[in-house]
Amino acid sequence: MANQLRIIGGQWRGRKLRFADGAGLRPTTDRVRETLFNWLQGLLDGARCLDLYAGSGALGLEALSRGAAEVVFLETNPRAVQELRDNLSLLKVGQAQVLPLDALAYLRQPARPFDVVFVDPPFGQGLLQDSLDRLSQGGWLAAEARIYIEHAAKGEAFDLPADWELLRSKQAGQVAYHLARYSPPEQNRD
């Protein structure tokens, strides 16, 4: 049986979409998404976004609803991939790609920079630090890119790459979430 998520802002505000059941599939809650997208206000219009561990696609769909020019969704669960493709088709979205690829494998490819990256890996699988490290290498981030990080509030520490600045941090129940900014080294030489 499919679950539902609700788009909370933008052109599809209030729209309910189905997503597949799956182990570890836990869409970012409405409350956390509202806070995150308030943090990103003014930065999404025309942005190129990457949803590294898309799952239900809640973060990328919200970004598209709020004016993102493009979203690349990565997801390995075949049912979640199909449901996400169905939702994009239902919404008549042309500026999105759903790739059935492992996020860490994807980050080994040649890069095109993204303006906003959502990093919300399955909890407790040790993927967070590797994801951040690989994003910081290889040209994945545009200058001043924003990186959203979500993880279990207990037992999942991480280190930000040296050229990232932590802008915001909050906790909601068992989830901690943060917003960081990438500043290339040449911008740090003042």
Side-chain angles (χ1 to χ4, degrees), residues 44-49 60 62-71 95:
L44 286 170
D45 197 35
R48 185 165 190 267
C49 303
E62 195 74 48
L64 286 166
S65 182
R66 294 167 184 254
E70 177 186 3
V71 175
Q95 66 273 27

Side-chain angles (χ1 to χ4, degrees), residues 3-187:
N3 299 305
Q4 283 192 335
L5 68 91
R6 181 176 61 91
I7 303 293
I8 56 172
Q11 66 177 325
W12 303 313
R13 181 184 179 145
R15 187 79 183 257
K16 291 181 181 174
L17 300 170
R18 294 166 33 112
F19 68 91
D21 283 329
L25 221 60
R26 39 157 200 81
T28 301
T29 66
D30 287 7
R31 179 175 147 203
V32 171
R33 273 188 288 136
E34 186 162 359
T35 300
L36 165 62
F37 285 94
N38 283 339
W39 291 348
L40 293 173
Q41 193 168 14
L43 299 172
L44 286 170
D45 197 35
R48 185 165 190 267
C49 303
L50 174 62
D51 195 344
L52 266 185
Y53 300 90
S56 68
L59 297 174
L61 289 165
E62 195 74 48
L64 286 166
S65 182
R66 294 167 184 254
E70 177 186 3
V71 175
V72 174
F73 296 89
L74 300 178
E75 179 54 48
T76 57
N77 178 316
R79 290 181 60 213
V81 167
Q82 188 56 54
E83 199 75 56
L84 187 48
R85 286 178 174 158
D86 291 348
N87 284 333
L88 290 167
S89 177
L90 180 70
L91 295 169
K92 297 176 176 48
V93 176
Q95 66 273 27
Q97 291 182 308
V98 181
L99 303 177
L101 298 173
D102 173 79
L104 296 177
Y106 178 81
L107 294 175
R108 287 186 197 109
Q109 303 181 106
R112 276 185 53 217
F114 288 93
D115 303 301
V116 177
V117 179
F118 304 107
V119 185
D120 179 14
F123 290 176
Q125 294 188 18
L127 298 168
L128 183 58
Q129 190 65 58
D130 282 347
S131 299
L132 300 181
D133 292 344
R134 289 193 187 170
L135 270 175
S136 74
Q137 304 157 2
W140 289 104
L141 301 171
E144 301 300 313
R146 298 305 194 276
I147 306 96
Y148 171 74
I149 303 159
E150 184 175 319
H151 61 92
K154 293 186 178 172
E156 207 161 356
F158 64 92
D159 294 314
L160 282 182
D163 49 5
W164 294 18
E165 174 189 5
L166 186 62
L167 300 175
R168 308 257 185 163
S169 285
K170 285 193 94 164
Q171 184 172 331
Q174 304 300 312
V175 173
Y177 56 106
H178 319 274
L179 188 66
R181 176 176 51 212
Y182 167 65
S183 297
E186 59 272 8
Q187 291 188 350

